[in-house]
Amino acid sequence: MIPTTSTSVHYQTVLTLQTRPKSLQRFTMQVQDAVRESRVRIGLCCLFLRHTSASLVIQENADPDVLVDMENFLAKLVPEGNYYNHSAEGPDDMPAHLRTALTHTSEQIPIMNGRLALGTWQGIYLWEHRSHGYHRDVVVHITGET
């Protein structure tokens, strides 16, 4: 139940993350910091990655082998090589686009009591699919009641 004395809020910020080549980088704390800054107590946090060769995932944050296995699986599912027409930006570019299409460029997470309603073992990750690190922008849009 939402208290009648609450105020509706929209809050936006952009997180710019420097990625490492072909890796999953956790950025849960940066998103939680944005939730805290928004002062939203109950609502929704929407994340949107403004790129087509990286993705967002919510995944296991305790055992790093999970992330290694995910990366290995996707590399086998979408291999690099001379299989693709689009190769202007290098042999890793089209596989990166396909990997992004199979995953997500956005996530939505409920906010409860001023915190992300993630499970104990869940973390938010930016998954870089390219062979080089890049600066990646994630738009954080938070809406809800204070």
Side-chain angles (χ1 to χ4, degrees):
M1 186 156 118
I2 300 172
T4 57
T5 59
S6 64
T7 304
S8 182
V9 171
H10 284 272
Y11 174 90
Q12 279 190 348
T13 189
V14 177
L15 302 176
T16 300
L17 305 171
Q18 174 62 51
T19 63
R20 295 177 303 278
K22 292 186 181 180
S23 66
L24 288 115
Q25 179 176 330
R26 186 168 54 182
F27 67 106
T28 312
M29 293 310 299
Q30 291 98 315
V31 177
Q32 183 56 53
D33 289 345
V35 170
R36 187 173 26 263
E37 289 172 20
S38 76
R39 297 182 155 170
V40 166
R41 303 292 301 151
I42 183 170
L44 189 62
C45 176
C46 300
L47 305 174
F48 177 73
L49 179 64
R50 297 187 330 190
H51 304 278
T52 60
S53 56
S55 56
L56 299 176
V57 294
I58 295 175
Q59 197 44 255
E60 164 88 40
N61 67 10
D63 185 351
D65 286 345
V66 170
L67 305 179
V68 171
D69 288 341
M70 287 178 58
E71 181 62 42
N72 289 338
F73 174 80
L74 205 53
K76 290 176 187 171
L77 185 64
V78 184
E80 292 182 14
N82 295 325
Y83 313 110
Y84 311 104
N85 292 324
H86 175 71
S87 60
E89 296 178 50
D92 68 325
D93 189 41
M94 190 60 216
H97 291 302
L98 291 171
R99 292 170 185 172
T100 299
L102 293 171
T103 53
H104 302 238
T105 56
S106 64
E107 292 285 354
Q108 296 184 47
I109 306 156
I111 298 169
M112 297 171 51
N113 298 317
R115 297 197 47 81
L116 296 168
L118 293 169
T120 302
W121 307 114
Q122 290 182 313
I124 306 167
Y125 292 86
L126 193 157
W127 195 346
E128 179 59 67
H129 300 301
R130 298 293 306 268
S131 296
H132 301 285
Y134 292 90
H135 286 94
R136 301 294 194 174
D137 291 333
V138 178
V139 178
V140 180
H141 182 98
I142 298 165
T143 185
E145 305 292 325
T146 58

